[in-house]
Structure formats: structure tokens, C-alpha cells
Amino acid sequence: MPALVPVRVRVTALLLLLLPLPALVASGAAGGTVGIPGSSPAAAEEHRNHGGGGYRVVQWEWTYVQTPYVIAVWLLVASVAKILFHLSQRFTTVVPESCLLILLGLALGGLVLLANEKQLYQLEPALFFLFLLPTIVGDAGYFMPARLFFDNLGAILTYAVAGTLWNAFCTGFALHAASLVGLIDRRVEAGLMDFLLFGALISAVDPVAVLAVFEEVHVNDMLFIIVFGESLLNDAVTVVLYKVYISFVEVGVENVQTADYFKGIASFLVVSVGGTLVGLVFAVLLSFITRFTKKVRIIEPLFVFLMVYLAYLTAELFSLSAILSMTFCGIGANKYVEANISQKSRTTVKYTMKTLASIAETLIFIFLGISAVDKSKWAWDTGLVACTLVFIFIFRAAGVVGQTWVLNRFRLVPLEKIDQVVMSYGGLRGAVAFALVVLLDGKRVKAKDYFVATTIVVVFFTVMFQGLTIKPLVKWLKVPRSTSRKPTINEEIHERAFDHILTAVEDIAGLQGYHHWRDKWEQFDKNHLSKLLLRKSVYRKSELWENNEKFNCSESARRSKYQLRMLRPVGGSVVPGTHGACARPPPGSLFARSFRRENGSGVCLDLQVIDNVPGGKVEEDMETHHFLAENLYKPRRRQYQSHYSRHFMPAGEKERQDREVFQRNMKSRMETFKSARHKRHKKERALKKVGRGGEGASSSRPSGRKMRPLALKRRASERSYPFASLRFSLASQGLEAVAASSQEVIGCVREHAYGNQAAHAQIRLERACVSSWVCAPCGQHSFQTTCVLRHVPVFDLKEFQNKTGKHD
Amino acid sequence: MGSRASTLLREEEIEEIKKETGFSHSQITRLYSRFTSLDKGENGTLSREDFQRIPELAINPLGDRIINAFFPEGEDQVNFRGFMRTLAHFRPIEDSEKNKNTSTSEPLNSRTNKLLFAFRLYDLDRDDKISRDELLQVLRMMVGVNISDEQLGSIADRTIQEADTNGDSSISFNEFIKVLEKVDVEQKMSIRFLH
């Protein structure tokens, strides 16, 4: 009989049954002790005075382990819940995880309530603000794509400050008007100030909810960063408004003076700027500390977590904006920390942050569900709830449209209508609003219970209803724009070619804004900050790299031979994504932070990409379309980069594509170069025969020498490292040419880089650097396909001696 | 950035380029500063290596072909005029231009000229026909390494079959235009040049 029921269902059923048990146990046990507060010391006493009662083999040590046990059990419940959800693939694509978690919370809350007649657990604001929220914000801030963020900073700030203020005031006034008109019942005793206060806390877009929902809807990077950035930066506004109104409410409406309004504005500036400064100070500290952690690698991740968390707490200490502080700490420190710490530490930091953030998010939603069930904490008023829902939606939409209209006059990439829809629909409220409303003082704000109920409803509505429907909504909005008929093969191929062409032309034309300030910043960064905050070895590598570049550039200006000119593309584009400009590569380029280019033209959904393979009448057609869709290289504009995905760490699909294309391009460039050089060589030989002279002799020897090592090298390296061979040959040619120009090449430092980050360096004491290399630190003979090789010639004996000393 | 660009680019030149390509004054100045930043040799022209130094082009499947498109037939250097002329193909078609009748020569960014640009990328030998080999070459560039030649060949055959109307197993420019008539070329081959 059991065999008839599939395994999956059985497992699910079992887990579902088991799930509430820990909660019940915990609550039962806790209820047991909570109900009798005085019992624990008494029980302890009893234990100790157990002299005559005999020895107990097993004892019930609940009070001893109570707190950590309960915490661990809740974390376990949250994690098992996540497993359960992902058992059904179909389900998870439709319903966002946050919804399921809230529902689970509701169920669990109901169970606990039934078991105990009262609610034991709920979302405590202190727990939320001190532990759960920093985890999520820290993760978001640390992995925030800095360039995209700052490119859109204008829009983000506008929405965060102006938008939130607009929402807060309009909602407050509108609710007050509604209560005057009578839509809101008299029992809700709230004056103008109370409504303004409520408006302030309900109007802030919530980062947790935005992250949770937008992760399911794949919008393009720019849109995501605007909404998410707004949700982070509006914290300052929310904090100030909240505090100001609380103080107004306490003092009483009559006693508010105009000076207080100005104080409010001043406090906004202090809070926001102060918070940012605190964050930046900690960022500098963190980067500086990681500079010296070479001997204590194992605790490097700990520094990262500690400093980021301290940034948050310090800002809280001074009642500045803690979220801003943490965000900017993360953004500021990321670049230098990632350069300084070891690869393993990087992985540890990434995984730990994602784990903690994921669990914190889960806990938040579960507790939101649980807290909703506790009737004693809230009071229902239909009018208030309905009005609030309507008002926040209307004012958000109006605000977004208005601000976008203004912004589009100044923006380089305008925000389309569909972007505006996504932005207004995606303005989700979440746990922050709930925590703030619970923090209200019930005695001062008489309508607190009504507010709590309304907030719960609003949060549930936005997270669940809007979360559920945003995906279909966007899909529906997108579909009429694109043709619904089947694209022909020609169209598919040529459209893809167009995309590639456009991407290339955009890169050639250099269509990125803010050049001037970015250049200035990068100069400052290179000259001062990097010296201070990057490890000496790391900084020197980037310096050496630059010297190489400079040398090549100046040499080529003087000489007009092919050899060095071919070296430049190697130098410039060896690591895909570096800023190959000859004049001033930013020091971060060494670690190849891949550019995230803005994709401003319309919402890009990966749904769209899937939709491109429509149902065809002919089987073969379908197959071809499918084949093409899967195998054609994707242009950069269409790609969805999931920065914040907590579920999947995307494998190097893009890297694979980049590598293949790069290899091909280099090969073809090499071919053209060789054929051109061969022709030129022939010409030179012919010329030499005609006119002898010292010139002819000296010019032929270097080229002669060049031929041999090139051939040798190709054979040796192409044998086993096809990817490496290209660079080798080109680079050694450059070396030879350099040697020919009477500079002594003492040796070469071969940098062995994993993926995008330089990890090891190895020295070889040979001139031509022909034979195979062994990487000393990691002892590898062959190079992994993720390795990128660079050939960095060293010209100075002293420098060389310095470099041999340092192997990292 | 500002001073150097404007001294080296004279007003008359800007006017000429404006007339020829349709770019605005600020766009031209901006693109000129981009041109000079690419021009490492500082001799007023760009060579292929200057383009190849742009790292993103190295990971673009059609990167090298597009670089070639900037250089006129057989030459190795391109000056600013040539640079702008090529970029002009990608200017978006403004509504005001759509209604202009083509009494004068067509503007560089007309639909036909955009398609001609793409066509020339495929058609390397400039015989106004995309042969099966040329198509295969382009497909090979755009597709991953694990696709066999036979598969690619069959796709190329189907592509030609779909487009070819006069039965010469190659795609002429008119056939190319016809097969892409439903595609919104104006949008797909246009870049917003910042102003």
C-alpha cells in the first residue's frame, strides 16, 4: 500500500506533520515556564536540594537551554520550510517564496495560539532592528553593484527623498480628510499628527520585501537598482519623519512651533549625511584592517561581518540612519576588501552573508505571519484599512509618474512607461513598517491598535497580492509590444546579429555618462586611497601592470613596428572586462570587475527570451528555433545578472561565452597579424637584399630571433594549453622586441589568475620564458580553464628581487 | 577634455559633419572627445589596434567585423569624418525625418542604409550577395563551440532557402531587405546618442 503513494508526497506529508511539532514543543515548554515565572529559580533550587530523593538518570534541563533552543528550533523550522517549498518546482515559479512564508507563519501562529491561548512569539522590533534587518541590508549593501548604483544615484535619491515625502504627506493628509469626512470610524481616535505619523511609517518602500519579490521577477538591472536603492535610501527620510512626528505627538499638536519644523529639516540632513559618513568611516577602517590580515586569513571574514555590523550599530547609537551607514560601508569597502582578502575568504564571506540574509528574510516573513494572528494586539476598522490601501496605491503611482517625468528630462537613459508601472507596482511595504508601528507608544498614540491592524493588512496585501501578480502583470504588459507570430530563422539570426552590432557600436562610441567625475574619482582613488587601503603586493601588481601599459604605449609611439602594437590588445583586453585604456586603467581593473552596462531600453525579462521559442507548426522548425535560441551567443544587453539571488549562484555561463568568443577573436587577430607580419617580413628581406647596411642587419636579427621562439612556443604550449598559447606567443614576442631594444629582461613574473582575480605569481629566471611553468604556490602544472594568464616583464633588478620575495 | 577637443575640431568641420550625419553639435563634440581618447598615437586617425584595445569588443562575437566596417575599403586608418559617418548609421530615425521625401540622397541612418550596413558585415567580398560560405562564417562566429559543422550547415541552408527568391543559393541585398521587412529595424539598429 505505501508503494502507491509516490515518495515525494510521502516525504512532504511527513515533513508537514513534523513541522509544527517543534513549535508546539517549544511553546509548550516555554508556556510551562512562562506561566509560572517564579518557578525557574525554585526548580533550580529543588534540583540542588535533591539530596535525599535518589539519583535521576535523565533530567529535564529546560530552563538551562531554553533561549538558544527556541532560537535554534525557529531557525530549523524556517530552513525546513524553505526545503518544502522547493520540492514543487511548478509551484515556486508562480508563488513567490515570501507569500508562502507568510502563510506558513499564519498557520504556525494559529497553532501556537490554539495550544497556548495566547501569542508567545511575535516580531519584536528590537529583534528585528538589531539582528534581522542588518543581516539583509548588510548583504545587499556589500554586494551592491557600485557603478550601476552611482550612475542612477540621481533617480534613486529623487524617489527616495521626494517620493517618500510626497507619499507620507499625501497619505497623512488624505487619511485625516477621510476621517473628517467620516469614512473612518470615530473610534479611531487620531488627529492630524497621528495620521501624519502613520503616513510616514506606511509610505516607505521596504528593502526586504522588494528584494524578496523582485528576485522572482527578473527585471533589468537598472530598474531593480532604482527601486531597491530607493528602498534603502528612504530609511533616512522615514527615520526622521518618524522621530519628528513622535516628538510632535508627545508634545501635542498645539505646542509645535515653526522652529521645530526647521529642526526637522536640519535633522534630516544630519541623519542622512551623518549616517553616510559613519558608513564611509567604517569602510575605510575595514579596508585598512584587511590590508594586514595576511597572517590571520582564517578570521578575515569575521572582520568583514564585524565592521559592517558595527557601522550599523554605531549609526543606531547616534540615532543616525543605520541603513544608510551600512549600505555605504558595504559599497565603499567592497572594492578594497575583495582585493585584499584571499579567495577562500571571499567565498566564505559571500556564502555566509547569503545564508544569513536568507534565513533572516525567512524568519521575518514567518514572524510577520505569526504576529498577525494575535488578536489582542490589533483592532479592525474597515474604513481605515480600505482608505489606506487605496491612498498608498494612488499616491505611489502619482508620485512615480510625476517624478519620472521630471527625471527623464535629465536622464541619459529615459525610464519607459513599463518601467514606471513596475516601479509603482513594486513599491512594497514590509516588515520595517510593521516594526515601526509596533514600536509606537499605545498611550500617546491612542489609535495604535487600529494602525497595527492596517499595517498588517497593507504589508500582507503588498507582499502577497502584489508579489503574486507582479510577474503576470509584467508579462502581460510586455506581450502586446512584441509580435506574437513566429519569427523566421532569418529574423532570429539577423536580430541577434543586430544586437551584437549595437553592443559593439555602443562600446566604440563609449556611451556611458559621467566620464569626467568618474575619471577624477579614479585618479584620486589610484593615487591616494588605493595606496592606503590596498595591500602592498596588490597595489604593486596594479602599478606594475600600469608600468607595462605605459611602457608599451610610449614605446609604440616611438617605434613603428608591428610587434608592440600587437602587444597592446593583449595588455588591454587580456582579462575581459578590464578598462583597457592605455592612459589610466583604474586599479580595480586588475581584478576585472565586469562592467554592468545599463540596459535602459525597456524592461528585459528572461520570460521574453523564453517566449522567443514559440510553438511551431513544423517540428523541424521548432527544433531549429530551439537550437538557435539555446546556442546563439547572447549579447550583453539582454543578459540578466542576478546579483541578489539567494537561491542560485549562477555558474559561469557568461564567462564561458566570453572565453570562447575571446579565444576566437584573439586567434583571428593573431592570424591576420601573422599574415601581415609575414608579408612585411618578406618585404623587409627583399629590401635588405637590395640595400645592405647596419640597419638591415640589426633589423633582421630581432625579427629572426622572433621567429624561432614563436614557433617553439606555439608547439610547446599549444600541446596542452590552447587557451594560454595565444597570450604566450604574443607576449613573448613583445618581450623579445623589448630585449632587442637593449633593456635587460631579468625575468618574468607570470601572474596566474583564477577567473578574475590574481592569485599567485611565479618567477622564472629565463629570458625567453619558453618552457612550461609550474605555479609555485599551488603546484599546478596545467592551468584551469578559468585561469587567465598575463605576462608581466620585469626590467629592474631591484624590483625583481623584491618580487621574488613576495608570492601573493 | 573640453578645451582640447574644441581647439582641434573647427567649427566649419562640425557644421559639415552635422550636415552630413545629422548629429547635433554637442553630440559631435562628445564623440570627438571619445575619438581622441581612443586615438593613442595622437595622429588624428584610428587604426585597427586602437579599436581592438576596447576590451568589450574582444568578447563580442562580431567585434572584429564591426571594427572592419569602420575602415574604408583597403585602408588602415580612419579619420574623424569616417568615424562619424559610420556611427551615423545608428542614429535613431526621428519622426521629422520620416516624412521627408527622398529627393536628396538618403540620410545615413535610413532604414535601407542601416540594413546595408548589416549586409556589408556579412558580405565580405562585396559582391552584393551573401553566399553560403559567408553565412556559415558569420553563423560560426555567433554560435558556441560545441555546434558541429553539419548542424551549422543545415541551418545556413535553411536560412538561405527561406530568403532566396531567385534561386541562386545566395541572399542578395533586396532579398535581405524583404526577409526582414517585418522587423523593426529602426529600433533594433539605433542607439540613443547622449546629448
Side-chain angles (χ1 to χ4, degrees):
Chain A
M1 197 183 29
L4 290 174
V5 181
V7 178
R8 249 201 201 172
V9 178
R10 272 188 282 164
V11 169
T12 322
L14 205 61
L15 282 172
L16 273 174
L17 280 176
L18 287 179
L19 202 58
L21 277 182
L24 281 173
V25 164
S27 66
T33 45
V34 164
I36 327 160
S39 73
S40 21
E45 281 281 332
E46 249 201 59
H47 271 277
R48 271 183 246 119
N49 300 344
H50 224 92
Y55 177 70
R56 281 229 210 126
V57 179
V58 174
Q59 302 174 2
W60 180 251
E61 300 278 6
W62 176 248
T63 48
Y64 182 56
V65 296
Q66 179 182 355
T67 323
Y69 202 88
V70 168
I71 295 177
V73 161
W74 275 116
L75 288 176
L76 186 63
V77 164
S79 319
V80 171
K82 272 176 116 70
I83 299 182
L84 282 184
F85 297 150
H86 286 278
L87 277 181
S88 165
Q89 194 71 348
R90 216 169 27 95
F91 202 45
T92 45
T93 46
V94 174
V95 183
E97 209 179 271
S98 37
C99 290
L100 294 172
L101 288 172
I102 291 190
L103 286 173
L104 177 68
L106 278 173
L108 285 177
L111 277 171
V112 174
L113 197 63
L114 284 174
N116 282 325
E117 304 301 315
K118 69 173 166 11
Q119 195 55 256
L120 292 169
Y121 304 107
Q122 67 157 355
L123 189 63
E124 302 284 344
L127 172 74
F128 177 73
F129 281 118
L130 287 180
F131 296 108
L132 296 176
L133 188 62
T135 329
I136 298 183
V137 174
D139 169 55
Y142 192 75
F143 293 109
M144 176 89 75
R147 176 150 177 176
L148 198 60
F149 182 75
F150 285 112
D151 277 348
N152 289 299
L153 193 61
I156 293 177
L157 278 176
T158 312
Y159 288 117
V161 178
T164 314
L165 283 174
W166 160 266
N167 281 343
F169 285 128
C170 285
T171 314
F173 281 120
L175 281 176
H176 184 61
S179 97
L180 286 178
V181 165
L183 282 172
I184 301 180
D185 207 69
R186 284 282 154 217
R187 335 168 255 171
V188 180
E189 302 162 16
L192 177 62
M193 280 300 155
D194 299 304
F195 279 124
L196 281 175
L197 172 63
F198 182 60
L201 61 87
I202 199 81
S203 62
V205 177
D206 185 72
V208 179
V210 163
L211 266 182
V213 168
F214 270 57
E215 195 179 340
E216 322 266 341
V217 188
H218 299 152
V219 296
N220 64 353
D221 275 354
M222 183 190 74
L223 192 57
F224 174 73
I225 208 86
I226 289 182
V227 179
F228 185 61
E230 177 197 344
S231 70
L232 284 179
L233 293 194
N234 67 14
D235 176 63
V237 178
T238 315
V239 161
V240 169
L241 279 179
Y242 186 76
K243 291 203 165 69
V244 163
Y245 281 131
I246 291 253
S247 65
F248 282 3
V249 163
E250 286 186 4
V251 167
V253 186
E254 318 77 49
N255 303 338
V256 173
Q257 302 151 335
T258 40
D260 291 330
Y261 289 115
F262 285 113
K263 273 197 219 159
I265 299 178
S267 112
F268 167 68
L269 288 170
V270 167
V271 161
S272 50
V273 172
T276 316
L277 283 178
V278 168
L280 290 176
V281 162
F282 273 95
V284 167
L285 275 176
L286 173 60
S287 318
F288 193 66
I289 288 182
T290 51
R291 190 176 154 187
F292 302 108
T293 54
K294 194 162 138 194
K295 305 282 184 203
V296 286
R297 288 217 183 278
I298 205 79
I299 59 170
E300 271 173 345
L302 186 63
F303 281 116
V304 177
F305 298 131
L306 278 179
M307 296 300 277
V308 171
Y309 191 42
L310 274 177
Y312 183 87
L313 291 178
T314 313
E316 274 288 345
L317 176 67
F318 293 110
S319 70
L320 303 169
S321 165
I323 293 186
L324 274 184
S325 158
M326 204 175 202
T327 309
F328 282 104
C329 178
I331 294 179
N334 185 22
K335 177 175 150 192
Y336 303 103
V337 169
E338 292 284 298
N340 280 339
I341 63 181
S342 69
Q343 175 68 20
K344 291 206 174 102
S345 300
R346 249 176 253 126
T347 317
T348 311
V349 166
K350 185 168 180 186
Y351 266 93
T352 314
M353 276 209 172
K354 297 279 177 206
T355 311
L356 289 177
S358 176
I359 284 301
E361 190 182 286
T362 314
L363 277 176
I364 288 179
F365 285 119
I366 289 189
F367 273 103
L368 263 180
I370 293 182
S371 311
V373 178
D374 186 2
K375 272 233 185 87
S376 65
K377 295 274 175 13
W378 47 265
W380 179 268
D381 178 60
T382 325
L384 180 61
V385 171
C387 285
T388 314
L389 276 176
V390 165
F391 287 143
I392 59 172
F393 200 71
I394 295 179
F395 290 125
R396 168 98 185 145
V400 165
V401 168
Q403 286 168 92
T404 314
W405 182 80
V406 171
L407 277 175
N408 272 343
R409 297 161 148 239
F410 301 103
R411 272 180 69 83
L412 305 168
V413 181
L415 292 163
E416 316 272 333
K417 285 227 171 22
I418 192 174
D419 296 334
Q420 296 174 38
V421 168
V422 173
M423 267 195 280
S424 26
Y425 205 70
L428 309 169
R429 275 68 171 176
V432 174
F434 179 72
L436 283 176
V437 86
V438 167
L439 266 181
L440 287 176
D441 188 352
K443 296 193 217 49
R444 295 284 165 77
V445 181
K446 303 220 175 43
K448 174 183 170 182
D449 291 341
Y450 294 100
F451 287 158
V452 171
T454 317
T455 312
I456 291 181
V457 171
V458 166
V459 169
F460 274 36
F461 182 80
T462 55
V463 174
M464 293 182 65
F465 181 71
Q466 283 181 252
L468 262 172
T469 54
I470 193 169
K471 214 170 172 182
L473 176 75
V474 180
K475 199 168 166 186
W476 174 69
L477 280 175
K478 187 77 173 157
V479 164
R481 290 221 301 184
S482 60
T483 51
S484 43
R485 45 163 215 108
K486 182 175 84 167
T488 63
I489 297 185
N490 271 286
E491 286 172 3
E492 259 194 71
I493 294 179
H494 296 310
E495 280 185 18
R496 192 57 68 92
F498 291 162
D499 281 332
H500 287 306
I501 295 174
L502 270 196
T503 315
V505 174
E506 277 184 9
D507 291 326
I508 291 177
L511 295 182
Q512 284 141 18
Y514 308 106
H515 257 306
H516 185 58
W517 288 109
R518 180 163 293 131
D519 282 347
K520 270 210 167 136
W521 166 254
E522 279 165 4
Q523 273 293 86
F524 171 69
D525 181 46
K526 187 184 73 159
N527 291 333
H528 301 108
L529 280 182
S530 295
K531 263 195 204 139
L532 180 66
L533 300 175
L534 283 180
R535 276 205 195 143
K536 276 219 179 72
S537 57
V538 167
Y539 184 67
R540 270 225 215 102
K541 273 182 204 164
S542 66
E543 254 193 341
L544 196 61
W545 182 240
E546 280 189 39
N547 283 337
N548 189 24
E549 290 278 291
K550 282 204 193 105
F551 174 78
N552 289 331
C553 292
S554 56
E555 271 296 300
S556 70
R558 274 183 267 133
R559 307 156 119 258
S560 56
K561 297 202 175 170
Y562 276 105
Q563 314 80 278
L564 281 178
R565 275 199 277 160
M566 269 321 276
L567 186 57
R568 265 186 278 140
V570 174
S573 56
V574 131
V575 182
T578 41
H579 211 66
C582 203
R584 308 179 300 255
S589 69
L590 197 68
F591 309 105
R593 299 179 50 166
S594 37
F595 284 158
R596 308 267 188 231
R597 269 176 64 255
E598 295 179 23
N599 175 13
S601 48
V603 176
C604 160
L605 307 174
D606 64 344
L607 298 171
Q608 178 72 0
V609 174
I610 299 173
D611 276 340
N612 245 345
V613 183
K617 296 161 223 147
V618 184
E619 262 297 311
E620 205 193 306
D621 260 2
M622 249 285 273
E623 227 182 83
T624 325
H625 279 292
H626 212 76
F627 179 75
L628 279 178
E630 273 180 31
N631 287 306
L632 280 175
Y633 283 136
K634 294 182 185 41
R636 213 165 49 241
R637 306 163 92 214
R638 285 244 188 114
Q639 276 186 345
Y640 165 65
Q641 323 255 12
S642 51
H643 303 287
Y644 299 108
S645 173
R646 304 246 181 74
H647 303 302
F648 318 108
M649 299 281 199
E653 181 61 39
K654 180 175 182 297
E655 283 153 29
R656 179 189 69 92
Q657 172 180 324
D658 284 347
R659 201 174 49 247
E660 284 177 14
V661 175
F662 182 66
Q663 197 173 342
R664 223 181 254 158
N665 280 339
M666 282 295 135
K667 227 178 230 161
S668 73
R669 286 184 192 174
M670 174 76 157
E671 297 299 317
T672 40
F673 165 61
K674 267 199 324 173
S675 64
R677 205 180 55 82
H678 194 63
K679 282 189 216 146
R680 199 167 194 264
H681 188 68
K682 267 203 212 152
K683 232 197 291 180
E684 273 180 5
R685 274 238 183 91
L687 280 174
K688 210 185 68 172
K689 285 208 183 108
V690 172
R692 260 161 238 271
E695 290 243 6
S698 66
S699 72
S700 71
R701 224 188 316 129
S703 46
R705 232 190 319 159
K706 250 190 308 293
M707 289 288 273
R708 251 189 302 117
L710 171 66
L712 259 180
K713 199 167 334 309
R714 287 278 302 275
R715 280 208 305 272
S717 36
E718 246 173 32
R719 223 190 311 126
S720 21
Y721 324 130
F723 187 52
S725 65
L726 245 39
R727 243 72 61 68
F728 257 12
S729 342
L730 290 170
S732 69
Q733 274 175 314
L735 262 172
E736 286 306 301
V738 155
S741 76
S742 83
Q743 277 235 358
E744 278 293 299
V745 176
I746 308 294
C748 345
V749 175
R750 237 270 297 282
E751 293 203 346
H752 173 197
Y754 286 109
N756 294 332
Q757 326 264 348
H760 305 273
Q762 193 219 337
I763 316 295
R764 189 78 177 185
L765 274 171
E766 268 180 33
R767 257 162 140 263
C769 314
V770 173
S771 40
S772 67
W773 292 67
V774 175
C775 178
C778 66
Q780 283 188 316
H781 239 294
S782 63
F783 295 93
Q784 304 167 13
T785 46
T786 48
C787 290
V788 167
L789 303 164
R790 270 192 293 257
H791 219 136
V792 183
V794 175
F795 306 117
D796 186 21
L797 181 60
K798 203 157 130 224
E799 201 174 53
F800 181 67
Q801 282 168 344
N802 280 340
K803 281 218 80 86
T804 42
K806 299 211 158 88
H807 263 259
D808 223 291
Chain B
M1 179 174 85
S3 58
R4 199 165 140 249
S6 52
T7 47
L8 293 180
L9 190 64
R10 296 184 318 273
E11 271 303 314
E12 313 94 66
E13 266 195 75
I14 299 184
E15 282 303 312
E16 283 173 30
I17 297 179
K18 202 167 166 182
K19 225 181 295 177
E20 196 185 344
T21 61
F23 282 117
S24 75
H25 196 284
S26 52
Q27 283 172 336
I28 296 176
T29 337
R30 222 187 147 280
L31 287 169
Y32 186 72
S33 69
R34 172 67 176 171
F35 180 84
T36 40
S37 76
L38 286 175
D39 180 17
K40 298 306 164 194
E42 292 177 21
N43 48 358
T45 59
L46 294 178
S47 65
R48 283 202 171 72
E49 284 77 26
D50 290 319
F51 281 103
Q52 283 169 349
R53 207 177 303 111
I54 303 173
E56 287 89 352
L57 288 183
I59 55 172
N60 189 311
L62 299 178
D64 285 345
R65 292 232 175 167
I66 294 163
I67 295 176
N68 279 332
F70 275 83
F71 294 88
E73 191 70 47
E75 290 187 25
D76 280 338
Q77 303 283 333
V78 61
N79 61 6
F80 185 57
R81 293 288 284 269
F83 185 72
M84 291 303 280
R85 214 171 284 133
T86 317
L87 285 182
H89 284 106
F90 296 94
R91 206 164 60 81
I93 300 180
E94 263 121 57
D95 288 320
S96 56
E97 286 174 353
K98 276 196 195 136
N99 300 330
K100 242 196 275 186
N101 61 346
T102 54
S103 54
T104 52
S105 62
E106 261 184 71
L108 280 170
N109 64 338
S110 69
R111 185 196 163 93
T112 320
N113 278 325
K114 286 182 198 280
L115 285 171
L116 189 60
F117 184 86
F119 188 80
R120 292 233 173 92
L121 280 186
Y122 292 104
D123 181 23
L124 288 179
D125 54 7
R126 301 287 171 105
D127 62 352
D128 279 333
K129 282 207 291 259
I130 304 178
S131 67
R132 184 177 185 275
D133 277 330
E134 288 170 341
L135 187 61
L136 259 179
Q137 274 185 44
V138 176
L139 276 176
R140 176 43 76 191
M141 289 167 79
M142 292 211 294
V143 152
V145 293
N146 48 346
I147 309 302
S148 70
D149 285 331
E150 301 88 57
Q151 284 171 309
L152 222 52
S154 70
I155 294 188
D157 286 328
R158 295 212 49 219
T159 313
I160 294 185
Q161 198 183 30
E162 224 178 48
D164 196 13
T165 47
N166 61 355
D168 59 354
S169 327
S170 62
I171 309 179
S172 73
F173 184 53
N174 288 324
E175 288 164 358
F176 188 71
I177 295 183
K178 183 133 200 331
V179 88
L180 291 179
E181 66 188 350
K182 297 226 182 73
V183 172
D184 185 8
V185 175
E186 287 85 345
Q187 209 232 11
K188 287 211 166 267
M189 285 276 275
S190 296
I191 304 176
R192 278 188 83 94
F193 285 95
L194 319 164
H195 44 76

